[in-house]
Amino acid sequence: MSESTHRRFFLWVLLAPALLWLLGLVILPHVELLLLSLQARTGPGEYGFSLEQYRTFVDEPLYWNTFVRTATLSVLATVLTLLLAFPAAWYIAKVAQGRAKTVLLVLCLLPFWVSEMVRTLGWLILLRETGVVSSVLQAVGLADQPVELLYRDATILVGLVYASLLFMVIPLVNSLESLDDSLIEAAYDLGGSTANIVRRIVIPHAAPGIAAGCIVVFMLCLGNYLTPTLLGGKNSLWFTEQIYTQFITRFNWNQGAAFGFLLLFLSSLLVWTGLKLTGQRFGAVMKT
Amino acid sequence: MIPSLPRPASQRFGLGAFVAGFFVFLFVPLLVVAVFAFNDAAYPTPPWMGFTLDWFAADSDTRTGLLADGELMRSLGTSAWVALWVTVLSVGVGTCNAFLLERFEFPGKNAIALLTMLPLVIPGVILGISILAFASRIANFADETWGLELDFLRPGLPLVILGQFCYIVTIATLTISASLRRFDRTLEEAAYNLGASRLAVLWTITLPYLRPSMIGAAAMAFLMSFENFNTTLMLVGSDPPLTVLMYGRMREGATPVLNAISLFLMIASALLALMLLWRKPAGTSD
Amino acid sequence: QDNKTLRLLTWGGYAPKDVIEQFTKETGFKVEVTTSNNEEMISKLRATAGAGFDLAQPSQDRIAGPQTEFKIYKPMDMSKIKADLFIPSMLEATKKNTTVGGAVYGVPHIWGTDGLVVNTKTSKATDYADLCVAENAGKVSMRLKRPTLIAMAFASGKDPFALYNDPKAYGALMDEMGKKLADCKKNVKFYWDGKDQLLAGIRSGELTTAMMWDTGGWELNKANPDVKFIAPKSGALGWVDTFAIPAKGRNDAAAYAWINFNMRPEIAAKVASAAGNFTASKGADQMMDEGLKKQFADSFPEAALNNIKWYPAVPAGIEDIEGRVLDRVKAAK
Amino acid sequence: MPNPLPAAPAGAGEHDLEVLSLHKGFAAFVAVQDLSFSVRRGSFFSILGPSGCGKTTLLRMIAGFIAPDGGDLRIKGQSMLGVAPNRRPVNMVFQHLALFPMMSVGENIAYGLERRGIKSAAAKAKVTDMLQRVGLPGSEGKRIDQLSGGQKQRVAIARSLVLEPALLLLDEPLGALDLKLREHMKVELKQLQAEVGTTFVYITHDQSEALVMSDQVAVMNHGRFEQVGSPQQLYYQPATAFVAGFVGNNNRFEGRVETRNGEQVLMRTAQGLGLWSQRVGALDVGQTAVLFVRPEAIEIGRQASELPPGDPAFSATVHSVLFDGGNSTVQVNEATSGAPLHIALPLTGRLADLQTGETVHFAYQPSQAWCFQA
Amino acid sequence: MPNPLPAAPAGAGEHDLEVLSLHKGFAAFVAVQDLSFSVRRGSFFSILGPSGCGKTTLLRMIAGFIAPDGGDLRIKGQSMLGVAPNRRPVNMVFQHLALFPMMSVGENIAYGLERRGIKSAAAKAKVTDMLQRVGLPGSEGKRIDQLSGGQKQRVAIARSLVLEPALLLLDEPLGALDLKLREHMKVELKQLQAEVGTTFVYITHDQSEALVMSDQVAVMNHGRFEQVGSPQQLYYQPATAFVAGFVGNNNRFEGRVETRNGEQVLMRTAQGLGLWSQRVGALDVGQTAVLFVRPEAIEIGRQASELPPGDPAFSATVHSVLFDGGNSTVQVNEATSGAPLHIALPLTGRLADLQTGETVHFAYQPSQAWCFQA
Ligand SMILES: Nc1ncnc2c1ncn2[C@@H]1O[C@H](COP(=O)(O)OP(=O)(O)OP(=O)(O)O)[C@@H](O)[C@H]1O
Ligand SMILES: Nc1ncnc2c1ncn2[C@@H]1O[C@H](COP(=O)(O)OP(=O)(O)OP(=O)(O)O)[C@@H](O)[C@H]1O
Ligand SMILES: NCCCCNCCCN
Ligand SMILES: [Mg+2]
Ligand SMILES: [Mg+2]
């Protein structure tokens, strides 16, 4: 076999699993989703082409509002996560030395190794009216009767931020570690203040990491199901919950598929806009 | 700022306090879960009713501890089984993908590289339903046209494995690709030059070099599979993995046995962390 | 899989451990239990086109519709059912409600009601409408599901079941109920989803009044006599959970064996006690737990018993109407 | 451009490597142009050229990592066209050494032996012996990252030499070392080659390395050899302007030939400086030319009388003294034209105290300066 | 160890930097020991020492990135203890330059000016002017990664110089460049410093850099200065054995003093080679000693008669010739003792044709060799 047929053979050997995966588990299922979303029931067990499912989304402000609400809370959660994770990532990447650095990083990972379910259970125990925090507040006299901390939007935010931290910390640590200390020293040596160095040196350098973290966190929040349903209260309308509802409690796969597709489309649009606004490229960002 | 720059005590203290608070925030929920595993009450909520080990060991009419809870233990086994398959598949295909993307040029490569990253930004629920819908279509088609019942395309463990694999393989691909990109290809040329066949080069040089990242990807894949909920929920059949079972229990009647199993998971992952720390000398985080 | 296993899709509490053990001992069939609720049962079977389970237990009103739409069950072979184990009226009613295209798809197993669970110390609620009065504000819970809409309609003096076959009128009624529930939302602490969530709320005193199954009320009553299940003035809603065989069930022998085994009075009594409900098994009554009987008698005086509104089969399309309304309630501020 | 002098391929008996009209292009760009040369058995042959001139491409063709577009390539008389790299009797020492970090020193050296199926006891003996020869006895068990730069170097060479190749190819192996160590390794490598007797083909862009170590040096530029010869030949008889400028330090002047006297020509620069030199190749009055004279070929003195009589003498002003011990030079401007020149200061340090602005005198032998057609 | 000769701190008027008993340890390890020196205004001051001797630690203390354990540090007469790095009138050029990749060349240079609140028009003018001075006019808009190594170098220096610091600190800024470019930048840096007149404190482990560029060089070892002086002083009058060995190439011999004659001593090595030299510091008959003689201080000839009369003469066998053009040396073994020596070959190339095994003769002036107590 000649060198180039050899290579072509290996190319196909490697391409086969990738194509199987991408076609069989990513592309075709989403095509199926698209097709499903373009159908509506015409009679018992009979379906035909229709834009009805999308029309529902447009006509019924409820679903549109749910999406806006989900997206807004997700953006908010992403920003909060970034604000919380940045100093911690900074500490891990730049201040902690040697083994302490590794230990801190592993400590960050640890909560995420036990399932989201467990963590949510923890928040439930902490925040419910008869929960730990409420009891503590009463014990120290900050409250004179039980306080209900669950079932608020703020609670959802706490839950989302908590569930997202790791996915922000890791890319941030990676990109901050690659920032040469001497750049900071040089900026300082040239008279830069901390705030200015952060703005002019650190953030531009970490931008791909920040973008990567934000994209992943935003999508995770948007796609979260457990946290909003378990921690959110009577108003906790979440778009994934709508999709789940359509599929599971309404048996309306067509509507669910349309919602799914809309979520995918609208969130990609948001991410794309975000990348454009900050002048980043998806491929480059996700490699950080 | 960095340690070599003199910082006002307030700044240093402020950052330290923040980080301390950060880790408290990270661990408090786990701590309460762990503590209430020992609560001598039928429900995993305050008030504290005293210490008991019932939720680990009991096997009575009113209380079923972790060890006696066959359903729970079975789902733990199911989770491990699923995670094992997902890990093997993800690392295997991820390694192939890494070679494909780092070593080959072919038309459409950019598109494939981009597609590879896509599953990371598709919400898990949607991944689940699209796979469910697609699999149902094929299965229904096979059923209607040939009367063939393709079981593995119906909700159940095979679909759960495929669904989880679908996005976990992306992470494995990214991890292994990054390591392969850093690999100095002259090492391969050197081996080849020293008389090794191409296969021997792969086996004695490239794969040993990739081993740490493959192990890392495997650990990651296992854990992500183990804790996955969103995708699994849509694809699960009659034998639920742990997360799905716990979700059901939380809706239908949670006892502190959930805290007990959670504590078990925490200890297992902490041990894993210790092992990793032990293996990794100080300062070589990546 | 082998023919030695029965894969059972059912409600929590319907397959107690000792009953399973006894069944296995007698028949050699092992039992794998998956617990679920009506909606999930249907959607699971829909996704598998009726595969994956050998026996399911949806409520009798939720069989005909999904069967018409998705063809997820196979007809019952009544010859394999020991009809004399059932309370005849119940068997007949269920057969009637679950008949599609001349075939019967379900036989009754457990029955009970939806009503109010009230902490009599802190709440004076007697009907669904009381969930929405000011004095209960913030201490009320209900499910954001179709029974709540229906209950509200009865509480408003309407008969929603009468409108089942008039989607327009039904839709209008539901819209009205939706508004009512939206107005009531400020009273609601949370819409419960899992039973445990609700029980914990009442147990801890966070809730005083809730719409719920009788069984949950009685369970709470055991621990705290102040908490009672009451049949609302406008009538408790009566449901019957059934046995139905999925279209691609692979172990019908085990399924029929389980049905007949379960309907034996002593077994049915055991199951009913575990579930906290009553059974369609003839003669199980005598063997039921005395406490439960007393609780039942407390909750259901003669008039209340006669006033139970039994769910008729849900025609297709109804759930879409309800779903939209429920979504709006959820979205309301 | 004057013709280079490729050594004509001789009988296979004497030559380990023969390259015949070898050619390689990348798209429109020609990296190696029709190259022919041969390397004598047991010699140390260097290829010296600026970055990008095609050295690595040539070496990788010899090793088999790149297939030539045309020409032939014989090792020990056998054509290597179509022979895979792992089947050629050559081994290569890579620029960054390419030691296998996951293996110990011993495993690295044994790697090639094992690939040949040599059993572990025999391999072990060879490894021990090889480590002895490169001056690292007993280092088998060390990890690669425990070695110093120079030790790594030796392990890399040992790893190749243990296979007893017909030819050892080295691609700038000293490039990554720091200055002092590089000086040291130059001498060591040369000695090692003399001891083992293997033919070395060595690539570098550092002229000092090539000069110090080699028996033969080929100066490469734009994919061709400009000159092949001994270090002394290159240094004292550069065949082309490129070689004169690239090998060793040089003062370079441009101008037009004014007078010719046998093999010597007088060139005058635009600023009016007239310089005598040896002409190389065809060159006659009126042609534009470049002239080179080495800093160390120029005699300098405070007084004109200190200079050797007979050579044309100039006076100049000191611009700056670059004191560097034995390598000190002075930068001067010739008095009449202002042309800048570097002149090496005597080794004895006699003129180390020159001051900027001082007047000095200098002279050189025209036979030690060369003039080429521009 | 003989006492080094620290320049005593003088009036602040003349000195931009005074260091007084500066001290710094890391745990048990002392990185900088009780160091005192001062740097004259406008001079180019280098600190030369092997890796790990404490150079960077010292420089970072001056810059303010490390707080000293003891001692004082004055810049333009003002103590800098407790003054933050961004408030000291010094700027630093980092080893890897630390140019901000996210800013253009112009923004890099303007960065410090903006931090001082200088309005953008004024800053712009200064940047333009500075780029002109470092030979990169009009490069404001370029990205950092569009620059070559030497250009980056210049931008890094421009970025610091534009702030007109009292002192510019440079930490091995040429370390990352390749050989040819480094040679070039050496000369350029020296010229730039002469033009701008800013005081430079320059760190390096490359003796050639220190010698070529500096007005004053401090040779550092184990956290102390061994000698401070002009390049010529270090080269021709090393104060310690360390300096003699570290600065320039040297032949080194160990032995015992046999005879003393005024300031000259005869040392005999273990193999019996007897060498006359200048003694440095206290040293007398019977003491063990080390002796240095530079390769270029030794005269060599094929005939003994070619050597200058009067100096002790030796004969030797050529071991190998390291031909390197103007820097060629020959390695010989002294005839009676077999002791190996390096001898520089004459610049003229007169002995470039020496062959291994030939007998040669060499001699040196004892006043150009130094002997230190071992
Ligand atoms: N695969 C390739 N595709 C296109 N051009 C190439 C390729 N490899 C090398 N070249 C070009 O061929 C020329 C010669 O490259 P080569 O690597 O042989 O130079 P070199 O002499 O080894 O240089 P250096 O001293 O920098 O290593 C260069 O101009 C290079 O850009
Ligand atoms: N933060 C530190 N902690 C402990 N030891 C240190 C620290 N910084 C430097 N050292 C030690 O102090 C000594 C001097 O270090 P320094 O960096 O000043 O050396 P250097 O002369 O600049 O060397 P090089 O030429 O390699 O840069 C070294 O032995 C180093 O290991
Ligand atoms: N504990 C089991 C309760 C079962 C309730 N089935 C209710 C059906 C109501 N539509
Ligand atoms: Mg090269
Ligand atoms: Mg240093």
Side-chain angles (χ1 to χ4, degrees), chain E residues 287-315:
Chain E
Q287 286 180 307
T288 55
V290 279
L291 183 150
F292 295 89
V293 54
R294 298 203 182 277
E296 66 268 20
I298 306 177
E299 299 269 348
I300 181 172
R302 282 211 161 84
Q303 310 299 331
S305 59
E306 292 172 35
L307 302 176
D311 296 333
F314 305 81
S315 59

Side-chain angles (χ1 to χ4, degrees), chain A residues 84 123 158 161-162 165, chain B residues 20-29:
Chain A
L84 272 185
W123 283 113
V158 170
V161 167
Y162 184 83
L165 277 174
Chain B
F22 180 86
F23 281 99
V24 168
F25 177 64
L26 226 43
F27 279 91
V28 152

